[in-house]
């Protein structure tokens, strides 16, 4: 294996975990990233993401990222149709917040530094296009996240989400989050804050009217005490299926592979986990396939539930919905 080349396309969490894992196995790893620097799509980030973190996650991926995930200590605010409910944080499965983007404290920056220390080489401002496919090394992992161009090229069916988000620096350094279930959206809104940065996002599977956006802004101001001058439009895309390969050859990972928790769209844990699985697949195809199947088996049924009448996006226990680490 020593000296064998690998290409990873996309320097998000899944691509970086894949790159680190392969570099540790002695492979010469190159990462192509379409943006000019680490930290993903600058329109969306910096941002704060909340997620659950399975206890065995860092052990499973072989990278201790605990410095990037702050546990939410206080009760979680749930605002359901305008009514505030303080939900006790589960001691067993507490929620966490992590920072995304290019600031030095972000998950992306921490993983980038680890990858550099492991000898991974980066080419920024290098966009992968379908024409590249015939030229890439035998070991190629695509980790391009929620890019509709790539879904179209790889023929992966996807759902479209519309919405709005706001972001700004705040005084508060502790981590926290609120969840907003609003009648006009069959999805939800959330806010998270960490490292002095606040982020709020409202998802919907249909367009949000100006009246509904105004209602949501008022809720955020009332319950989080944060007001924005500028709300940016959000269009998101997530796969409807889970796929480990394209044409049984190129390996897929992260959001592109459909490893996203289906109810709230927690993709961070899925990205870290599947980054490791994609590297395992490059090293041992059968083992990788078995791990991918084990961790994604609950996803199709959970996606199908979203079509049921009266569906409400209830936050899941991660381990019940779609994966379980041996330690849990
Ligand atoms: C606004 C927003 C809020 C979110 N909130 C949460 C949350 O609160 N909790 C949670 O768990 N998850 C959240 N998610 C989901 C989570 O961010 C993703 O699931 C996670 O980032 C997936 O990681 P990834 O490595 O697969 O892809 P990404 O992080 O998207 O990284 C993909 C990388 O590939 C690069 N790229 C794309 N196309 C190309 C190309 N053709 N060539 C080269 N490079 C390319 C991109 O620039 C990017 O750097 C959110 C997502 C968004 C967009």
């Amino acid at each position: 294996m020593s000296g064998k080349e690998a290409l990873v396309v996309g320097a998000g969490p899944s691509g970086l975990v894949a790159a680190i894992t392969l570099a540790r196995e002695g492979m010469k790893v190159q990462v192509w990233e379409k943006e000019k620097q680490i930290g993903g799509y600058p329109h969306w980030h910096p941002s704060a993401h909340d997620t659950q973190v399975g206890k065995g996650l860092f052990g499973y991926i072989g990278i201790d990222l605990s410095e990037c995930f702050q546990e939410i200590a206080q009760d979680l605010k749930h605002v359901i149709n305008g009514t505030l409910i303080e939900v006790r944080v589960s001691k067993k499965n507490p929620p966490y917040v992590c920072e995304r983007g290019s600031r030095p404290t972000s998950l992306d920056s921490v993983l980038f530094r680890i990858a550099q220390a492991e000898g991974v080489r980066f080419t920024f401002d290098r966009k992968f296009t379908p024409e590249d496919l015939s030229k890439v090394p035998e070991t190629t992992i695509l980790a391009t996240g929620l890019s509709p161009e790539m879904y179209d090229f790889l023929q992966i069916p996807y759902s479209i989400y519309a919405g709005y988000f706001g972001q700004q620096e705040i005084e508060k350094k502790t981590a926290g989050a609120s969840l907003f279930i609003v009648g006009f959206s069959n999805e939800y809104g959330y806010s998270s804050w960490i490292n002095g940065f606040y982020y709020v996002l409202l998802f919907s599977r249909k367009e949000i009217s100006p009246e509904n956006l105004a209602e949501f802004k008022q809720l955020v101001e009332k319950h989080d005490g944060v007001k924005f001058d500028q709300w940016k439009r959000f269009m998101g895309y997530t796969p409807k299926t889970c796929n480990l390969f394209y044409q049984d050859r190129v390996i897929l990972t992260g959001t592109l592979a459909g490893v996203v928790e289906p109810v709230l769209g927690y993709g961070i844990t899925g990205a870290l986990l599947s980054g490791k699985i994609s590297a395992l697949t490059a090293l041992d195809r059968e083992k990788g396939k078995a791990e991918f199947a084990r961790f994604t088996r609950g996803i199709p049924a959970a996606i199908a539930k979203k079509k049921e009448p009266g569906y409400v996006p209830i936050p899941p226990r991660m381990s019940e919905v779609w994966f379980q680490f041996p330690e849990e």
Side-chain angles (χ1 to χ4, degrees):
M1 186 58 65
S2 181
K4 204 176 155 195
E5 284 193 8
L7 172 68
V8 175
V9 179
S14 64
L16 291 168
V17 169
I20 292 165
T21 309
L22 293 179
R24 287 178 176 170
E25 290 292 326
M27 295 183 85
K28 288 184 185 160
V29 186
Q30 167 95 246
V31 175
W32 290 356
E33 166 54 51
K34 79 169 178 187
E35 299 297 338
K36 291 188 169 57
Q37 59 172 0
I38 203 72
Y41 186 26
H43 175 69
W44 287 331
H45 306 300
S47 63
H49 287 188
D50 66 335
T51 188
Q52 290 177 350
V53 178
K55 282 197 177 50
L57 178 66
F58 301 142
Y60 185 86
I61 65 173
I63 308 168
D64 183 4
L65 293 170
S66 42
E67 68 175 291
C68 305
F69 290 84
Q70 279 184 39
E71 192 175 321
I72 299 177
Q74 88 278 20
D75 290 344
L76 201 58
K77 276 190 264 176
H78 281 46
V79 180
I80 302 183
N81 291 332
T83 305
L84 174 69
I85 301 169
E86 301 274 349
V87 176
R88 268 282 132 81
V89 163
S90 152
K91 292 284 168 242
K92 202 166 166 230
N93 286 299
Y96 290 79
V97 183
C98 81
E99 182 186 335
R100 301 292 313 280
S102 59
R103 303 190 332 163
T105 40
S106 73
L107 172 67
D108 311 57
S109 297
V110 170
L111 281 166
F112 178 52
R113 291 195 289 271
I114 297 171
Q116 283 181 309
E118 297 289 350
V120 175
R121 288 167 300 142
F122 286 82
T123 308
F124 288 100
D125 208 6
R126 174 63 167 95
K127 183 176 176 178
F128 174 91
T129 62
E131 293 74 56
D132 288 314
L133 200 59
S134 57
K135 302 170 224 156
V136 295
E138 195 188 319
T139 300
T140 293
I141 296 178
L142 298 183
T144 51
L146 36 79
S147 146
E149 278 175 14
M150 288 298 282
Y151 297 149
D152 288 339
F153 162 53
L154 303 171
Q155 296 181 319
I156 295 173
Y158 56 93
S159 305
I160 303 177
Y161 296 83
Y164 288 88
F165 67 96
Q167 58 200 152
Q168 71 181 33
E169 291 187 359
I170 51 165
E171 292 282 313
K172 213 168 7 189
K173 298 287 179 209
T174 51
S178 303
L179 187 77
F180 300 90
I181 308 277
V182 278
F184 59 81
S185 164
N186 45 8
E187 289 294 332
Y188 70 102
Y190 80 91
S191 60
S192 304
W193 51 97
I194 185 171
N195 302 333
F197 201 83
Y198 177 91
Y199 197 75
V200 59
L201 174 63
L202 171 62
F203 287 109
S204 175
R205 270 177 273 159
K206 53 188 184 197
E207 285 297 332
I208 293 164
S209 70
E211 296 75 33
N212 289 152
L213 179 60
E215 188 186 322
F216 184 69
K217 287 178 186 177
Q218 279 175 6
L219 282 178
V220 169
E221 201 179 331
K222 181 173 169 197
H223 293 287
D224 283 358
V226 181
K227 193 175 175 181
F228 295 95
D229 295 332
Q230 198 197 5
W231 284 73
K232 294 184 189 168
R233 188 138 160 65
F234 169 84
M235 290 296 286
Y237 314 85
T238 51
K240 288 184 177 170
T241 56
C242 302
N243 305 287
L244 180 57
F245 295 104
Y246 172 65
Q247 291 188 342
D248 211 29
R249 181 170 82 85
V250 175
I251 300 167
L252 311 183
T253 189
T255 293
L256 183 65
V259 192
V260 177
E261 178 281 310
V263 180
L264 295 191
Y266 289 144
I268 289 299
T269 314
L272 298 172
L273 182 71
S274 68
K276 173 74 179 193
I277 293 174
S278 64
L280 278 181
T281 309
L283 300 165
D284 180 339
R285 194 178 162 95
E286 291 312 312
K287 190 171 174 198
K289 277 164 73 173
E291 286 299 90
F292 190 79
R294 181 161 80 97
F295 285 119
T296 56
R297 61 172 180 249
I299 293 180
I303 292 178
K305 268 196 164 181
K306 292 185 152 198
K307 293 216 171 99
E308 288 177 3
Y311 170 80
V312 178
I314 301 293
R317 289 253 312 272
M318 209 68 141
S319 57
E320 280 170 7
V321 176
W322 64 309
F323 63 72
Q324 192 153 18
F325 296 105
E327 293 87 340
E328 288 180 56

